[in-house]
Amino acid sequence: MELNILYKIKSEKKHYDFLRSHSIWYKYLNRDPNNYKDFLNAYKKYSREETTSKINNTINNIDMIANIIKVLE
């Protein structure tokens, strides 16, 4: 992997964490540095999905708590 791409990724902790958890990107970035834009797009998509998942889990937890309170009344 080219050093400038590695520095860009390591400068952003979230990008570096994504790279570590999705190690297939090491191969793509080593083969072609132009894949960096694809890497960023994949990170953005992952980030959106992760945020949506957290929101859905929170809503489900609130619904569950509301149902438990209704049963206890």
Coordinates of all heavy atoms in Angstrom, one line a residue:
M1 N 0.9 -1.2 0.0 CA 0.0 0.0 0.0 C 0.9 1.2 0.0 O 1.9 1.3 0.7 CB -0.9 0.0 1.3 CG -1.9 1.1 1.3 SD -2.9 1.1 2.8 CE -3.4 -0.5 3.0
E2 N 0.5 2.2 -0.8 CA 1.3 3.5 -0.8 C 1.2 4.2 0.5 O 0.2 4.2 1.2 CB 0.8 4.4 -1.9 CG 1.1 3.8 -3.3 CD 0.7 4.8 -4.4 OE1 0.3 6.0 -4.1 OE2 0.8 4.4 -5.5
L3 N 2.3 4.8 0.9 CA 2.4 5.4 2.2 C 1.4 6.6 2.4 O 0.8 6.8 3.4 CB 3.8 5.9 2.5 CG 4.9 4.8 2.7 CD1 6.2 5.5 2.9 CD2 4.5 4.1 4.0
N4 N 1.2 7.4 1.3 CA 0.3 8.5 1.5 C -1.2 8.0 1.7 O -1.9 8.6 2.5 CB 0.3 9.4 0.2 CG -0.1 8.7 -1.0 OD1 -0.2 7.5 -1.1 ND2 -0.3 9.5 -2.1
I5 N -1.6 6.9 1.2 CA -2.9 6.3 1.4 C -2.9 5.8 2.9 O -3.9 6.0 3.6 CB -3.2 5.2 0.4 CG1 -3.4 5.9 -0.9 CG2 -4.5 4.5 0.9 CD1 -3.7 4.9 -2.0
L6 N -1.9 5.1 3.3 CA -1.8 4.6 4.6 C -1.9 5.8 5.6 O -2.6 5.7 6.7 CB -0.6 3.8 4.8 CG -0.4 3.1 6.1 CD1 -1.6 2.1 6.3 CD2 0.9 2.4 6.2
Y7 N -1.2 6.9 5.4 CA -1.3 8.0 6.3 C -2.7 8.6 6.3 O -3.1 9.0 7.4 CB -0.2 9.1 5.9 CG 1.2 8.7 6.2 CD1 2.2 8.9 5.2 CD2 1.6 8.1 7.4 CE1 3.5 8.6 5.5 CE2 2.9 7.8 7.6 CZ 3.8 8.0 6.7 OH 5.1 7.6 6.9
K8 N -3.3 8.7 5.2 CA -4.7 9.2 5.1 C -5.6 8.4 6.0 O -6.4 8.9 6.7 CB -5.2 9.3 3.7 CG -4.6 10.3 2.8 CD -5.2 10.3 1.4 CE -4.6 11.2 0.5 NZ -5.1 11.0 -0.9
I9 N -5.5 7.1 5.9 CA -6.3 6.1 6.6 C -6.0 6.2 8.1 O -6.9 6.3 8.9 CB -6.2 4.7 6.1 CG1 -6.8 4.6 4.6 CG2 -6.9 3.7 7.0 CD1 -6.5 3.3 3.9
K10 N -4.8 6.2 8.4 CA -4.4 6.3 9.9 C -4.7 7.6 10.5 O -4.9 7.7 11.7 CB -2.9 5.9 10.0 CG -2.7 4.4 9.9 CD -1.3 4.1 10.4 CE -1.2 2.6 10.4 NZ 0.1 2.1 11.0
S11 N -4.8 8.7 9.7 CA -5.1 10.0 10.3 C -6.6 10.0 10.8 O -6.9 10.8 11.7 CB -4.9 11.1 9.3 OG -5.8 11.0 8.2
E12 N -7.5 9.2 10.2 CA -8.8 9.1 10.6 C -9.0 7.8 11.4 O -9.0 6.7 10.8 CB -9.8 9.1 9.4 CG -9.8 10.5 8.7 CD -10.5 11.5 9.5 OE1 -11.5 11.2 10.3 OE2 -10.2 12.7 9.3
K13 N -9.3 7.8 12.7 CA -9.4 6.6 13.5 C -10.5 5.7 13.0 O -10.4 4.5 12.9 CB -9.6 7.0 14.9 CG -9.6 5.8 15.8 CD -9.8 6.1 17.3 CE -9.9 5.0 18.2 NZ -10.2 3.7 17.7
K14 N -11.6 6.3 12.6 CA -12.8 5.5 12.2 C -12.4 4.8 10.9 O -12.8 3.6 10.7 CB -14.0 6.4 12.0 CG -14.5 6.9 13.3 CD -15.7 7.8 13.1 CE -16.2 8.3 14.4 NZ -17.5 9.1 14.2
H15 N -11.7 5.4 10.0 CA -11.3 4.7 8.7 C -10.4 3.6 9.0 O -10.5 2.5 8.4 CB -10.6 5.7 7.8 CG -11.5 6.8 7.2 ND1 -11.0 7.8 6.5 CD2 -12.9 6.9 7.3 CE1 -12.0 8.6 6.1 NE2 -13.2 8.1 6.6
Y16 N -9.4 3.8 10.0 CA -8.5 2.8 10.3 C -9.2 1.6 11.0 O -8.9 0.4 10.7 CB -7.4 3.4 11.2 CG -6.3 2.4 11.5 CD1 -5.5 1.9 10.5 CD2 -6.1 2.0 12.8 CE1 -4.4 1.1 10.8 CE2 -5.0 1.1 13.1 CZ -4.2 0.6 12.1 OH -3.2 -0.2 12.4
D17 N -10.1 1.9 11.8 CA -10.9 0.8 12.5 C -11.7 0.0 11.5 O -11.8 -1.2 11.5 CB -11.8 1.4 13.6 CG -11.1 1.9 14.8 OD1 -9.9 1.5 14.9 OD2 -11.7 2.7 15.5
F18 N -12.3 0.7 10.5 CA -13.0 0.0 9.4 C -12.1 -0.9 8.6 O -12.4 -2.0 8.3 CB -13.7 1.1 8.5 CG -14.4 0.5 7.3 CD1 -15.6 -0.2 7.5 CD2 -13.8 0.5 6.0 CE1 -16.2 -0.7 6.4 CE2 -14.4 0.0 5.0 CZ -15.7 -0.7 5.1
L19 N -10.9 -0.4 8.3 CA -9.9 -1.2 7.6 C -9.5 -2.4 8.3 O -9.4 -3.5 7.8 CB -8.7 -0.3 7.2 CG -7.6 -1.0 6.5 CD1 -8.1 -1.4 5.1 CD2 -6.4 -0.1 6.3
R20 N -9.4 -2.3 9.6 CA -9.0 -3.4 10.4 C -10.1 -4.5 10.5 O -9.9 -5.7 10.5 CB -8.6 -3.0 11.8 CG -7.2 -2.3 11.8 CD -6.9 -1.8 13.2 NE -6.9 -2.9 14.1 CZ -5.9 -3.3 14.9 NH1 -4.8 -2.7 14.8 NH2 -6.1 -4.3 15.7
S21 N -11.3 -4.0 10.6 CA -12.4 -4.9 10.7 C -12.9 -5.5 9.3 O -13.5 -6.5 9.3 CB -13.6 -4.3 11.4 OG -14.1 -3.2 10.6
H22 N -12.5 -4.8 8.2 CA -12.8 -5.3 6.9 C -11.5 -5.4 6.1 O -11.2 -4.6 5.2 CB -13.8 -4.3 6.2 CG -15.1 -4.2 6.8 ND1 -15.3 -3.4 7.9 CD2 -16.2 -4.9 6.6 CE1 -16.5 -3.5 8.3 NE2 -17.1 -4.4 7.5
S23 N -10.7 -6.4 6.5 CA -9.4 -6.6 6.0 C -9.2 -6.9 4.5 O -8.1 -6.7 4.0 CB -8.7 -7.7 6.8 OG -9.3 -8.9 6.6
I24 N -10.3 -7.2 3.8 CA -10.3 -7.4 2.4 C -9.8 -6.1 1.7 O -9.2 -6.2 0.6 CB -11.6 -7.9 1.8 CG1 -11.5 -8.3 0.4 CG2 -12.7 -6.7 1.9 CD1 -10.8 -9.6 0.2
W25 N -10.0 -5.0 2.3 CA -9.6 -3.7 1.7 C -8.0 -3.6 1.6 O -7.5 -2.8 0.8 CB -10.2 -2.5 2.4 CG -11.6 -2.4 2.0 CD1 -12.7 -2.7 2.6 CD2 -12.1 -1.8 0.7 NE1 -13.8 -2.5 1.9 CE2 -13.5 -1.9 0.7 CE3 -11.4 -1.3 -0.4 CZ2 -14.2 -1.5 -0.4 CZ3 -12.1 -0.9 -1.5 CH2 -13.5 -1.0 -1.5
Y26 N -7.3 -4.3 2.5 CA -5.8 -4.3 2.4 C -5.4 -4.8 1.0 O -4.6 -4.2 0.3 CB -5.2 -5.2 3.4 CG -5.1 -4.6 4.8 CD1 -5.9 -5.0 5.8 CD2 -4.2 -3.6 5.1 CE1 -5.9 -4.5 7.1 CE2 -4.1 -3.0 6.4 CZ -5.0 -3.5 7.4 OH -4.9 -3.0 8.6
K27 N -6.1 -5.8 0.5 CA -5.7 -6.4 -0.8 C -6.0 -5.4 -1.9 O -5.2 -5.2 -2.8 CB -6.5 -7.7 -1.0 CG -6.2 -8.4 -2.3 CD -6.9 -9.7 -2.4 CE -8.4 -9.6 -2.7 NZ -9.1 -10.9 -3.0
Y28 N -7.2 -4.9 -1.8 CA -7.6 -3.9 -2.9 C -6.7 -2.7 -2.9 O -6.4 -2.2 -4.0 CB -9.1 -3.5 -2.7 CG -10.1 -4.6 -2.8 CD1 -11.2 -4.7 -2.0 CD2 -9.9 -5.6 -3.8 CE1 -12.1 -5.7 -2.2 CE2 -10.8 -6.7 -3.9 CZ -11.9 -6.7 -3.1 OH -12.8 -7.7 -3.3
L29 N -6.4 -2.2 -1.8 CA -5.6 -0.9 -1.7 C -4.1 -1.2 -2.1 O -3.4 -0.4 -2.6 CB -5.7 -0.3 -0.3 CG -7.0 0.3 0.0 CD1 -7.1 0.7 1.5 CD2 -7.4 1.4 -0.9
N30 N -3.7 -2.4 -1.8 CA -2.3 -2.8 -2.2 C -2.2 -3.0 -3.7 O -1.2 -2.6 -4.3 CB -1.9 -4.1 -1.5 CG -1.4 -3.9 -0.1 OD1 -0.9 -2.8 0.2 ND2 -1.6 -4.9 0.7
R31 N -3.2 -3.5 -4.3 CA -3.2 -3.8 -5.7 C -3.3 -2.5 -6.6 O -2.7 -2.3 -7.6 CB -4.3 -4.7 -6.1 CG -4.0 -6.1 -5.7 CD -5.0 -7.1 -6.1 NE -4.7 -8.4 -5.6 CZ -5.5 -9.5 -5.8 NH1 -6.7 -9.3 -6.4 NH2 -5.1 -10.6 -5.3
D32 N -4.2 -1.6 -6.1 CA -4.5 -0.4 -6.9 C -4.8 0.8 -6.0 O -5.8 0.8 -5.3 CB -5.6 -0.6 -7.9 CG -5.8 0.6 -8.8 OD1 -5.0 1.5 -8.8 OD2 -6.8 0.5 -9.6
P33 N -3.9 1.8 -5.9 CA -4.2 2.9 -5.0 C -5.5 3.7 -5.3 O -6.0 4.4 -4.5 CB -3.0 3.8 -5.1 CG -2.0 3.0 -5.9 CD -2.7 1.9 -6.5
N34 N -5.9 3.6 -6.6 CA -7.1 4.3 -7.0 C -8.4 3.7 -6.3 O -9.4 4.3 -6.4 CB -7.3 4.2 -8.5 CG -6.2 4.9 -9.2 OD1 -5.7 5.9 -8.7 ND2 -5.8 4.4 -10.4
N35 N -8.3 2.6 -5.7 CA -9.4 2.0 -4.9 C -9.7 2.8 -3.6 O -10.6 2.4 -2.9 CB -9.1 0.5 -4.6 CG -9.3 -0.3 -5.8 OD1 -10.0 0.0 -6.7 ND2 -8.6 -1.4 -5.9
Y36 N -8.9 3.8 -3.3 CA -9.1 4.5 -2.1 C -10.5 5.2 -2.1 O -11.2 5.2 -1.1 CB -8.0 5.6 -1.9 CG -8.1 6.4 -0.7 CD1 -7.9 5.8 0.6 CD2 -8.5 7.8 -0.7 CE1 -8.1 6.6 1.7 CE2 -8.6 8.5 0.4 CZ -8.4 7.9 1.6 OH -8.6 8.7 2.8
K37 N -10.9 5.7 -3.3 CA -12.3 6.3 -3.3 C -13.3 5.2 -3.1 O -14.3 5.5 -2.4 CB -12.5 6.9 -4.7 CG -11.7 8.2 -4.9 CD -11.9 8.8 -6.3 CE -11.1 10.0 -6.5 NZ -11.3 10.6 -7.8
D38 N -13.1 4.0 -3.6 CA -14.1 2.9 -3.3 C -14.1 2.6 -1.8 O -15.1 2.3 -1.3 CB -13.7 1.7 -4.2 CG -13.9 2.0 -5.6 OD1 -14.7 2.9 -6.0 OD2 -13.2 1.3 -6.4
F39 N -12.9 2.6 -1.2 CA -12.8 2.4 0.2 C -13.6 3.4 1.0 O -14.3 3.0 1.9 CB -11.3 2.4 0.6 CG -11.1 2.4 2.1 CD1 -11.2 1.2 2.8 CD2 -10.8 3.6 2.8 CE1 -11.0 1.2 4.2 CE2 -10.6 3.6 4.1 CZ -10.7 2.4 4.9
L40 N -13.5 4.6 0.6 CA -14.2 5.7 1.4 C -15.7 5.5 1.2 O -16.5 5.7 2.1 CB -13.8 7.1 0.9 CG -12.4 7.5 1.3 CD1 -12.1 8.9 0.7 CD2 -12.2 7.5 2.8
N41 N -16.1 5.1 0.0 CA -17.5 4.9 -0.3 C -18.1 3.7 0.5 O -19.2 3.8 1.1 CB -17.8 4.7 -1.8 CG -17.6 6.0 -2.6 OD1 -17.8 7.1 -2.1 ND2 -17.3 5.8 -3.9
A42 N -17.3 2.7 0.6 CA -17.7 1.5 1.4 C -17.7 1.9 2.9 O -18.7 1.4 3.6 CB -16.7 0.4 1.2
Y43 N -16.8 2.7 3.3 CA -16.8 3.2 4.7 C -18.1 4.0 5.0 O -18.8 3.8 6.0 CB -15.6 4.0 5.1 CG -15.8 4.7 6.4 CD1 -15.7 4.0 7.6 CD2 -16.1 6.1 6.5 CE1 -15.9 4.7 8.8 CE2 -16.3 6.7 7.6 CZ -16.2 6.0 8.8 OH -16.4 6.6 10.0
K44 N -18.4 4.9 4.1 CA -19.6 5.7 4.3 C -20.9 4.9 4.3 O -21.8 5.1 5.1 CB -19.7 6.8 3.2 CG -18.7 7.8 3.3 CD -18.8 8.8 2.1 CE -17.6 9.8 2.2 NZ -17.6 10.7 1.0
K45 N -21.0 3.9 3.4 CA -22.1 3.0 3.4 C -22.2 2.2 4.7 O -23.3 2.1 5.3 CB -22.0 2.0 2.2 CG -23.2 1.1 2.1 CD -23.0 0.2 0.9 CE -24.2 -0.8 0.8 NZ -24.0 -1.8 -0.2
Y46 N -21.1 1.7 5.2 CA -21.0 0.9 6.4 C -21.5 1.8 7.6 O -22.2 1.4 8.5 CB -19.6 0.4 6.6 CG -19.4 -0.2 8.0 CD1 -19.9 -1.5 8.3 CD2 -18.7 0.5 9.0 CE1 -19.7 -2.0 9.6 CE2 -18.5 -0.1 10.2 CZ -19.0 -1.3 10.5 OH -18.8 -1.8 11.8
S47 N -21.0 3.0 7.6 CA -21.3 4.0 8.7 C -22.8 4.3 8.7 O -23.4 4.3 9.8 CB -20.5 5.3 8.5 OG -20.8 6.2 9.5
R48 N -23.4 4.5 7.5 CA -24.8 4.7 7.5 C -25.6 3.5 8.0 O -26.6 3.7 8.8 CB -25.3 5.1 6.1 CG -25.1 6.5 5.7 CD -25.7 6.8 4.3 NE -24.5 7.1 3.5 CZ -24.2 6.5 2.3 NH1 -25.0 5.5 1.9 NH2 -23.1 6.8 1.7
E49 N -25.2 2.3 7.6 CA -25.9 1.1 8.0 C -25.8 0.9 9.5 O -26.7 0.5 10.2 CB -25.4 -0.1 7.2 CG -25.8 -0.1 5.8 CD -25.1 -1.2 5.0 OE1 -24.3 -1.9 5.5 OE2 -25.5 -1.3 3.8
E50 N -24.6 1.2 10.0 CA -24.4 1.0 11.4 C -25.2 2.0 12.2 O -25.8 1.6 13.3 CB -22.9 1.3 11.7 CG -22.5 1.0 13.2 CD -21.0 1.2 13.4 OE1 -20.6 2.3 13.6 OE2 -20.3 0.2 13.3
T51 N -25.3 3.3 11.8 CA -26.1 4.2 12.5 C -27.6 3.8 12.4 O -28.3 3.9 13.5 CB -25.9 5.6 11.8 OG1 -24.6 6.0 11.8 CG2 -26.7 6.7 12.5
T52 N -28.1 3.4 11.3 CA -29.5 3.0 11.2 C -29.7 1.8 12.1 O -30.8 1.7 12.7 CB -29.8 2.6 9.7 OG1 -29.5 3.7 8.9 CG2 -31.2 2.2 9.5
S53 N -28.8 0.9 12.1 CA -29.0 -0.3 13.0 C -29.0 0.1 14.5 O -29.9 -0.4 15.2 CB -27.8 -1.3 12.8 OG -27.9 -2.3 13.7
K54 N -28.2 1.1 14.9 CA -28.2 1.5 16.3 C -29.6 2.2 16.6 O -30.2 2.0 17.7 CB -27.1 2.5 16.5 CG -25.8 1.8 16.6 CD -24.7 2.9 16.9 CE -23.3 2.2 17.0 NZ -22.2 3.2 17.2
I55 N -30.1 3.0 15.7 CA -31.4 3.7 15.9 C -32.5 2.6 16.0 O -33.3 2.7 16.9 CB -31.6 4.7 14.7 CG1 -30.7 5.8 14.9 CG2 -33.1 5.2 14.8 CD1 -30.7 6.8 13.7
N56 N -32.5 1.6 15.1 CA -33.5 0.6 15.1 C -33.4 -0.2 16.4 O -34.5 -0.5 17.0 CB -33.4 -0.3 13.9 CG -33.8 0.3 12.6 OD1 -34.6 1.2 12.7 ND2 -33.3 -0.2 11.5
N57 N -32.3 -0.5 16.9 CA -32.1 -1.2 18.2 C -32.6 -0.4 19.3 O -33.3 -0.9 20.2 CB -30.7 -1.6 18.4 CG -30.2 -2.7 17.5 OD1 -31.0 -3.5 17.0 ND2 -28.9 -2.9 17.3
T58 N -32.4 0.9 19.3 CA -32.9 1.8 20.4 C -34.4 1.8 20.3 O -35.0 1.7 21.4 CB -32.3 3.2 20.2 OG1 -30.9 3.1 20.2 CG2 -32.7 4.1 21.3
I59 N -35.0 1.9 19.2 CA -36.4 1.9 19.1 C -37.0 0.6 19.6 O -38.0 0.6 20.3 CB -36.9 2.2 17.6 CG1 -36.5 3.7 17.3 CG2 -38.3 2.0 17.4 CD1 -36.7 4.0 15.8
N60 N -36.4 -0.5 19.2 CA -36.9 -1.8 19.7 C -36.8 -1.9 21.2 O -37.7 -2.4 21.8 CB -36.1 -2.9 19.0 CG -36.5 -3.1 17.5 OD1 -37.5 -2.6 17.1 ND2 -35.6 -3.7 16.8
N61 N -35.7 -1.4 21.8 CA -35.6 -1.4 23.2 C -36.7 -0.6 23.9 O -37.2 -0.9 24.9 CB -34.2 -1.0 23.6 CG -33.2 -2.0 23.3 OD1 -33.4 -3.2 23.2 ND2 -31.9 -1.6 23.2
I62 N -36.9 0.6 23.3 CA -38.0 1.5 23.9 C -39.3 0.8 23.8 O -40.1 0.8 24.8 CB -38.0 2.8 23.2 CG1 -36.7 3.6 23.5 CG2 -39.2 3.7 23.5 CD1 -36.5 4.9 22.7
D63 N -39.6 0.2 22.7 CA -40.9 -0.5 22.6 C -41.0 -1.7 23.6 O -42.1 -1.9 24.2 CB -41.1 -1.1 21.1 CG -41.4 0.0 20.1 OD1 -41.8 1.1 20.5 OD2 -41.1 -0.3 18.9
M64 N -39.9 -2.4 23.8 CA -39.9 -3.5 24.7 C -40.2 -3.0 26.1 O -41.0 -3.5 26.9 CB -38.6 -4.3 24.7 CG -38.6 -5.5 25.6 SD -37.0 -6.3 25.6 CE -35.9 -5.1 26.3
I65 N -39.5 -1.9 26.5 CA -39.7 -1.3 27.8 C -41.1 -0.8 28.0 O -41.8 -1.0 29.1 CB -38.7 -0.2 28.1 CG1 -37.3 -0.8 28.2 CG2 -39.0 0.6 29.3 CD1 -36.2 0.2 28.2
A66 N -41.7 -0.2 27.0 CA -43.1 0.3 27.0 C -44.0 -0.9 27.2 O -45.0 -0.8 28.0 CB -43.4 1.1 25.8
N67 N -43.8 -2.0 26.5 CA -44.7 -3.2 26.7 C -44.5 -3.8 28.0 O -45.5 -4.2 28.6 CB -44.3 -4.2 25.6 CG -44.7 -3.8 24.2 OD1 -45.7 -3.0 24.1 ND2 -44.1 -4.3 23.2
I68 N -43.4 -3.8 28.6 CA -43.2 -4.4 30.0 C -43.9 -3.5 31.0 O -44.6 -4.0 31.9 CB -41.7 -4.4 30.3 CG1 -41.0 -5.6 29.5 CG2 -41.5 -4.7 31.8 CD1 -39.5 -5.6 29.6
I69 N -43.8 -2.2 30.8 CA -44.5 -1.3 31.7 C -46.1 -1.5 31.6 O -46.8 -1.5 32.6 CB -44.1 0.2 31.4 CG1 -42.7 0.4 31.9 CG2 -45.0 1.2 32.1 CD1 -42.1 1.8 31.5
K70 N -46.6 -1.7 30.4 CA -48.0 -1.9 30.2 C -48.4 -3.2 30.9 O -49.5 -3.3 31.5 CB -48.4 -2.0 28.7 CG -48.4 -0.7 28.0 CD -48.8 -0.8 26.6 CE -48.7 0.5 25.8 NZ -49.0 0.3 24.4
V71 N -47.6 -4.2 30.8 CA -47.9 -5.5 31.5 C -47.9 -5.3 33.0 O -48.8 -5.9 33.7 CB -46.9 -6.6 31.0 CG1 -47.1 -7.8 31.9 CG2 -47.1 -6.9 29.5
L72 N -47.0 -4.6 33.5 CA -46.9 -4.4 35.0 C -48.0 -3.6 35.5 O -48.3 -3.6 36.7 CB -45.6 -3.8 35.3 CG -44.3 -4.7 35.1 CD1 -43.1 -3.9 35.4 CD2 -44.4 -6.0 35.9
E73 N -48.7 -2.8 34.7 CA -49.8 -1.9 35.2 C -51.0 -2.7 35.4 O -51.6 -3.4 35.7 CB -50.0 -0.8 34.3 CG -48.9 0.2 34.2 CD -49.2 1.4 33.2 OE1 -50.1 1.2 32.4 OE2 -48.5 2.4 33.3

